[in-house]
């Protein structure tokens, strides 16, 4: 005799519950040792998978060319530049811009407290605009172009394997006395370079928005609202 619709629904629901419960029941011969073996294999697979991810951006795959051979390499390349350009060129550019950024951060801060007597006293961002109108911009371009000539020659030597990226053998104070100390300073330089590149951008945009210099805002914070 055909079952009513409610009875059929109850029967189907009961069958589904029984089937779900049996999924958690060990099969014949499914011993605890087998459970441990499967768990160990899963953990091993997870560790291998974790190793493929970037330490800097854990939810992204580690770029294949960023293998940790360079000091300070934490696998950060979300836009994939390392898949297109030579790593030696990228490291040379990173160090060069980082060194300029460290000088810029120092100059930005010092100018808040001291200005040469023959220069007008003004905020660093305003000083840039002022000296560009006074002809200072062309001088900056000239001297940067002059420095870039040496940079191009150095880059070709790097690509030929004659020097490490960014290495100009500049150590007048003799700080790098041994290989371990040199490696420590290399790591410190790349970390400070990255921080300085972010900082100088923050300094400039902060002044555009608040019209306050760095220490002025620290002493007298002005909200944007």
């Amino acid at each position: 005799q055909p079952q009513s619709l409610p009875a059929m629904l109850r029967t189907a629901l009961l069958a589904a519950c029984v089937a779900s419960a049996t999924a958690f029941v060990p099969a014949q011969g499914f011993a605890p040792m087998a459970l441990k073996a499967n768990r160990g294999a899963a953990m091993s697979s997870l560790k291998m998978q974790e190793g493929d991810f970037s330490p800097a951006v854990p939810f992204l795959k580690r770029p294949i060319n960023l293998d940790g051979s360079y000091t300070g390499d934490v696998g950060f390349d979300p836009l994939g530049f390392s898949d297109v350009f030579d790593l030696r060129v990228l490291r040379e550019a990173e160090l060069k811009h980082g060194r300029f950024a460290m000088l810029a951060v120092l100059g930005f801060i010092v100018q808040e407290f001291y200005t040469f007597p023959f220069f007008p006293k003004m905020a660093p961002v305003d000083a840039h605009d002022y000296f560009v109108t006074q002809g200072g911009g062309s001088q900056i371009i000239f001297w940067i172009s002059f420095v870039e000539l040496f940079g191009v020659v150095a880059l070709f030597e790097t690509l030929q394997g004659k020097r490490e990226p960014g290495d100009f053998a500049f150590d007048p104070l003799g700080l790098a006395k041994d290989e371990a100390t040199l490696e420590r300073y290399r790591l410190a330089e790349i970390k400070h370079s990255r921080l300085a590149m972010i900082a100088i951008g923050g300094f400039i945009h902060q002044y555009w928005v608040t019209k306050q210099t760095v220490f002025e805002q620290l002493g007298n914070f002005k909200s944007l609202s």
Side-chain angles (χ1 to χ4, degrees):
Q1 182 180 358
Q3 291 182 329
S4 64
L5 183 59
M8 292 177 63
L9 289 175
R10 285 196 295 271
T11 304
L13 182 60
L14 178 61
C17 291
V18 172
S20 299
T22 57
F24 295 94
V25 177
Q28 185 68 25
F30 200 76
M33 289 300 294
L35 279 171
K36 289 183 179 179
N38 277 0
R39 187 180 300 133
M43 291 299 294
S44 176
S45 175
L46 181 60
K47 287 180 181 178
M48 289 177 62
Q49 190 179 30
E50 286 177 350
D52 294 333
F53 283 86
S54 165
V57 191
F59 54 86
L60 293 180
K61 288 287 187 178
R62 185 185 187 100
I64 189 171
N65 291 323
L66 297 183
D67 55 2
S69 57
Y70 279 118
T71 302
D73 177 9
V74 291
F76 182 79
D77 185 20
L79 299 181
F81 287 122
S82 61
D83 297 330
V84 180
F85 302 101
D86 192 310
L87 281 184
R88 294 169 294 181
V89 176
L90 295 176
R91 175 47 63 97
E92 186 85 28
E94 183 178 30
L95 284 171
K96 178 174 66 177
H97 288 90
R99 288 162 180 170
F100 276 120
M102 287 189 283
L103 291 173
V105 166
L106 178 63
F108 204 98
I109 293 174
V110 168
Q111 192 170 332
E112 286 192 47
F113 299 98
Y114 178 77
T115 304
F116 287 115
F118 42 86
F119 287 129
K121 177 67 176 178
M122 60 182 67
V125 175
D126 294 334
H128 168 271
D129 298 339
Y130 171 79
F131 285 110
V132 166
T133 60
Q134 298 298 312
S138 56
Q139 295 182 37
I140 293 173
I141 293 174
F142 171 79
W143 287 110
I144 288 179
S145 301
F146 179 74
V147 172
E148 280 296 322
L149 292 177
F150 294 96
V152 170
V153 174
L155 181 59
F156 275 113
E157 291 183 349
T158 298
L159 295 177
Q160 293 170 358
K162 297 180 180 179
R163 67 186 280 273
E164 289 294 318
D167 184 7
F168 288 93
F170 182 77
D171 186 17
L173 300 180
L175 298 176
K177 299 177 181 179
D178 52 62
E179 189 62 29
T181 306
L182 176 61
E183 189 65 20
R184 182 164 60 88
Y185 279 117
R186 281 175 175 168
L187 181 59
E189 180 182 36
I190 197 67
K191 284 184 174 181
H192 288 90
S193 293
R194 291 165 178 169
L195 180 61
M197 286 188 280
I198 296 173
I200 192 62
F203 289 175
I204 294 172
H205 285 82
Q206 170 192 288
Y207 184 79
W208 283 343
V209 173
T210 66
K211 297 303 178 184
Q212 289 180 302
T213 55
V214 178
F215 284 93
E216 181 185 357
Q217 189 179 54
L218 286 175
N220 183 24
F221 178 76
K222 182 189 294 184
S223 174
L224 298 180
S225 57

